[in-house]
């Protein structure tokens, strides 16, 4: 597996930790062509993510020395609307249109519906009875339904929509099958956008069309919808599954999340830091020679980074390996940094702040039903294959 994605339990893989605690920056092979510099220390990763003139997201395979076998950033289509493969000013133009839809105030409109979705799935869990798989019956469906609400996906399409997204993020799926899944996602989103053009609803796509109709192409709307689906679905799903396991392994902190509402925001931030389910963002291309962490990165070099290692860097917090929801909030990189900081962070935080305590209050005796943990290490977003629980 690509070095930037290797994991071990809740944290980074030992060889990635060894890089952070040693050289900090090393040259590693990639599965899509040329080698890349791997950044593992907090300050180096943060500085690189904040430097959009020195490190480009908007490169093409033609910019790489020796070319590349594929572009790791494109989910489907030609990359239109995919903020992860864009630089200013194109990135800023599109993000400026999207940002108002993701303010805390706008997200609060979704709060009653999120609470409803959470309660519905708690009822389903209760009816199913103990034991149950928390991943498939709670952690996966809740963020999926929230994204469907956000994008205006019809109820009848939601099961297929959710399954396709999960397969797109599975690293064991062949390039050929991944390309086919991308075409299917593109075709579905094309139909969704065309329907919204004819009759814009109250969902995000409908609002974007009403407010920015002339400024947005269909390709950009489709790309935005695809990105939000992938970026906002499995990330929060895996945080709910992995986060519940982390709390079960730390019973005193679980009790605080269950019983003390004031502890919940801090718990969400510490879980984001300690778990870092997004192993790495899109690789960057150096646009000039840059000195970083004592290494000269040359113009044209590819740069990748490991967020779990960076978020457990002693340079960020004291005793970084210790999980502690009472620690002061840190500027962790769980949502990225700089102009590509996660647009949906307010939504993800809201989902977690609702879903964790609601689960623990409904099932105060929640416990693991099996100590054998099935880690989903072959997914682009780290998490669990399943989490058998009992109560």
């Amino acid at each position: 597996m690509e070095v930037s994605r290797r994991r071990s339990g809740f944290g980074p893989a030992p060889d990635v930790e060894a890089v952070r605690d040693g050289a900090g920056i090393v040259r590693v092979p990639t599965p899509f062509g040329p080698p890349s510099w791997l950044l593992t220390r907090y300050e180096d990763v943060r500085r690189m993510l904040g430097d959009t003139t020195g490190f480009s997201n908007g490169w093409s395979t033609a910019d790489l020395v020796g070319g590349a076998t594929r572009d790791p950033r494109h989910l489907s289509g030609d990359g239109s609307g995919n903020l992860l493969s864009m630089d200013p000013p194109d990135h800023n133009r599109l993000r400026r249109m999207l940002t108002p839809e993701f303010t805390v105030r706008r997200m609060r409109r979704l709060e009653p519906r999120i609470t409803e979705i959470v309660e519905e799935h708690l009822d389903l869990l209760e009816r199913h009875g103990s034991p149950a798989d928390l991943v498939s019956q709670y952690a996966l469906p809740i963020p999926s339904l929230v994204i469907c609400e956000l994008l205006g996906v019809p109820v009848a399409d939601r099961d297929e929509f959710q399954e396709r997204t999960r397969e797109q993020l599975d690293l064991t799926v062949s390039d050929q099958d991944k390309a086919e899944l991308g075409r299917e996602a593109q075709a579905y989103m094309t139909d969704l956008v065309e329907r919204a053009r004819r009759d814009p609803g109250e969902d995000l796509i409908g609002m974007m069309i009403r407010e920015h109709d002339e400024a947005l192409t269909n390709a950009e709307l489709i790309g935005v919808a695809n990105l939000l689906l992938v970026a906002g679905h499995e990330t929060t799903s895996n945080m709910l599954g992995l986060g519940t396991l982390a709390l079960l392994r730390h019973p005193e902190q679980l009790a605080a999340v269950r019983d003390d509402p004031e502890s919940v925001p801090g718990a969400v931030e510490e879980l984001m830091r300690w778990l870092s389910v997004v192993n790495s963002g899109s690789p960057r291309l150096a646009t000039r020679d840059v000195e970083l962490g004592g290494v000269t990165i040359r113009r044209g070099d590819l740069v990748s980074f490991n967020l779990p290692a960076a978020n457990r860097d002693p340079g960020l917090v004291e005793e970084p390996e210790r999980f502690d929801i009472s620690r002061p909030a840190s500027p962790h990189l769980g949502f990225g940094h700089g102009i590509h900081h996660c647009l949906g962070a307010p939504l993800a935080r809201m989902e977690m702040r609702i879903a964790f305590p609601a689960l623990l209050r409904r099932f105060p005796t929640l416990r693991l039903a099996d100590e054998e943990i099935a880690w989903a290490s072959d997914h682009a977003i780290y998490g669990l294959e399943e989490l058998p629980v009992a109560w």
Side-chain angles (χ1 to χ4, degrees):
M1 182 185 288
E2 190 179 346
V3 177
S4 63
R5 299 189 188 281
R6 285 184 198 151
R7 298 294 297 252
S8 176
F10 292 115
D15 56 349
V16 178
E17 285 187 320
V19 171
R20 184 197 62 210
D21 299 338
I25 303 177
V26 294
R27 198 87 147 149
V28 296
T30 68
F32 49 86
S36 170
W37 290 104
L38 175 65
L39 313 185
T40 58
R41 289 178 181 158
Y42 175 79
E43 281 302 331
D44 295 336
V45 174
R46 194 172 191 276
R47 184 183 150 199
M48 186 275 294
L49 293 178
D51 183 0
T52 54
T53 58
F55 299 95
S56 167
N57 274 53
W59 51 270
S60 72
T61 52
D63 296 322
L64 303 178
V65 177
T69 55
R70 61 182 174 85
D71 189 330
R73 300 160 303 159
H74 290 172
L75 305 169
S76 58
D78 62 1
S80 295
N82 182 359
L83 293 168
L84 300 181
S85 59
M86 297 171 73
D87 290 326
D90 293 336
H91 168 275
N92 297 7
R93 176 185 69 86
L94 198 54
R95 180 147 179 149
R96 211 163 25 240
M97 294 181 205
L98 278 164
T99 297
E101 300 303 325
F102 285 92
T103 59
V104 172
R105 182 175 59 82
R106 292 277 187 110
M107 285 298 103
R108 283 196 185 120
R109 292 181 314 193
L110 273 174
E111 188 169 0
R113 181 60 184 133
I114 295 172
T115 301
E116 201 173 78
I117 289 169
V118 166
E119 291 301 323
E120 285 169 1
H121 284 82
L122 289 172
D123 291 344
L124 288 170
L125 266 177
E126 200 160 14
R127 283 201 293 274
H128 176 278
S130 174
D133 173 25
L134 201 75
V135 169
S136 62
Q137 293 175 257
Y138 190 74
L140 265 176
I142 289 171
S144 176
L145 287 172
V146 171
I147 287 293
C148 287
E149 294 278 337
L150 190 70
L151 295 179
V153 175
V155 173
D157 298 348
R158 293 184 179 183
D159 286 349
E160 181 186 347
F161 189 81
Q162 180 175 302
E163 181 55 33
R164 184 167 52 238
T165 308
R166 187 156 177 79
E167 287 184 37
Q168 279 184 284
L169 289 165
D170 186 341
L171 299 176
T172 65
V173 171
S174 70
D175 284 351
Q176 184 178 347
D177 288 344
K178 213 175 267 297
E180 179 56 33
L181 287 165
R183 283 190 289 271
E184 288 174 12
Q186 187 81 355
Y188 182 83
M189 289 302 184
T190 300
D191 182 58
L192 196 68
V193 166
E194 286 172 353
R195 277 183 278 165
R197 286 276 191 199
R198 293 192 296 271
D199 182 21
E202 293 302 311
D203 53 84
L204 183 140
I205 295 174
M207 286 190 213
M208 292 279 285
I209 288 168
R210 280 200 302 276
E211 294 175 22
H212 306 286
D213 188 13
E214 300 300 318
L216 280 167
T217 65
N218 271 17
E220 286 176 326
L221 276 169
I222 292 161
V224 163
N226 262 323
L227 175 63
L228 292 177
L229 164 65
V230 174
H233 170 209
E234 191 130 338
T235 47
T236 309
S237 294
N238 289 11
M239 278 300 301
L240 291 177
L242 207 54
T244 300
L245 176 61
L247 291 168
L248 288 169
R249 291 274 175 83
H250 297 83
E252 289 182 8
Q253 301 192 62
L254 180 151
V257 172
R258 183 188 63 219
D259 301 332
D260 177 14
E262 290 188 9
S263 76
V264 176
V268 167
E269 297 310 309
E270 178 67 347
L271 285 165
M272 286 296 303
R273 180 197 73 81
W274 199 67
L275 298 175
S276 300
V277 297
V278 178
N279 299 308
S280 179
S282 296
R284 276 35 171 195
L285 189 76
T287 59
R288 61 172 186 258
D289 290 1
V290 180
E291 284 283 333
L292 201 59
V295 170
T296 300
I297 296 172
R298 299 292 180 190
R299 181 175 183 269
D301 284 355
L302 207 54
V303 180
S304 57
F305 50 99
N306 185 275
L307 293 176
N311 276 334
R312 290 190 179 209
D313 188 332
L316 172 62
V317 294
E318 291 182 12
E319 298 181 76
E321 297 299 321
R322 181 169 55 86
F323 176 62
D324 180 5
I325 67 171
S326 67
R327 74 165 76 239
S330 64
H332 65 75
L333 302 172
F335 289 114
H337 174 68
I339 67 166
H340 293 283
H341 181 272
C342 177
L343 189 64
L347 177 60
R349 285 183 168 113
M350 181 181 289
E351 290 180 71
M352 288 186 276
R353 286 173 185 174
I354 293 169
F356 281 126
L359 170 70
L360 301 175
R361 284 196 301 266
R362 178 72 72 96
F363 303 109
T365 59
L366 192 74
R367 64 187 185 279
L368 288 176
D370 188 342
E371 288 295 332
E372 285 293 313
I373 302 302
W375 308 95
S377 54
D378 55 359
H379 280 239
I381 313 297
Y382 189 58
L384 302 172
E385 296 287 357
E386 58 181 10
L387 183 61
V389 293
W391 54 88

